[in-house]
Amino acid sequence: MRNDEAEPVAILLAEDNPGDVTLTRKALERGSIINNLHVVNDGVEALSFLRQEGEYADEPRPDLVLLDLNMPRKDGRDVLEEIKTEDRLKRIPIVVMTSSEAEEDIVQSYDLHANAYLTKPIDFDGFLDVIERIEEFWLTVVKMPPE
């Protein structure tokens, strides 16, 4: 995790809803941490980005992943499982951000070693507040091991 303000924090957002992408981008722009937000729209792209494959070969290793569960091509649960079984990726903090409040999804996400599970608020201000709290906690408070 980069706590040094001179170097932007790399955040990967795996989200297929354009409205949620826009809200997340706006919330991060309002925050105090300099960041580079990278967006992918499905689970296959998320894994390619994380593994730095194909068009993502020159992309940075993210400091934080915001992961939606219900995405096309590869479900967020499958993405989470693959991330947490790969030595190169398993220490990247994964915050599941989804609209699901189902207990089964919460339990399964933690069983797959998600670092946090958040239900997306419906209203704009609530959504912005959640993103700002994620930024504050994961990017300023938490100490992470080196890559």
Side-chain angles (χ1 to χ4, degrees):
M1 202 64 54
R2 296 180 185 117
N3 291 323
D4 160 352
E5 297 223 4
E7 190 171 350
V9 173
I11 301 171
L12 175 61
L13 173 61
E15 172 63 68
D16 63 316
N17 182 319
D20 289 347
V21 170
T22 300
L23 287 175
T24 303
R25 189 178 307 280
K26 285 182 180 179
L28 289 169
E29 287 171 358
R30 286 179 28 170
S32 60
I33 304 295
I34 299 169
N35 65 78
N36 287 329
L37 180 65
H38 305 270
V39 179
V40 294
N41 303 112
D42 64 54
V44 172
E45 286 183 30
L47 288 170
S48 292
F49 186 100
L50 289 163
R51 293 172 178 148
Q52 298 171 307
E53 298 171 337
E55 67 182 284
Y56 303 109
D58 296 326
E59 296 295 344
R61 178 184 184 271
D63 297 298
L64 177 67
V65 175
L66 303 177
L67 179 67
D68 184 26
L69 287 185
N70 301 310
M71 294 185 295
R73 293 179 52 193
K74 187 177 279 272
D75 186 81
R77 295 161 199 82
D78 295 331
V79 172
L80 180 58
E81 184 172 21
E82 288 190 44
I83 290 170
K84 294 302 184 175
T85 58
E86 291 187 28
D87 286 338
R88 260 178 12 101
L89 306 176
K90 68 184 179 184
R91 289 193 185 114
I92 299 172
I94 310 296
V95 176
V96 172
M97 274 189 46
T98 186
S99 56
S100 173
E101 294 183 10
E103 185 175 325
E104 177 183 333
D105 287 336
I106 297 167
V107 170
Q108 185 179 20
S109 294
Y110 281 113
D111 284 349
L112 293 171
H113 306 288
N115 298 93
Y117 186 102
L118 302 170
T119 303
K120 297 175 193 171
I122 297 170
D123 66 289
F124 178 75
D125 289 334
F127 195 94
L128 292 179
D129 185 55
V130 165
I131 297 297
E132 288 170 2
R133 289 175 186 266
I134 289 170
E135 179 186 53
E136 178 184 343
F137 181 74
W138 285 105
L139 304 178
T140 61
V141 176
V142 172
K143 298 290 183 206
M144 295 297 297
E147 291 181 29

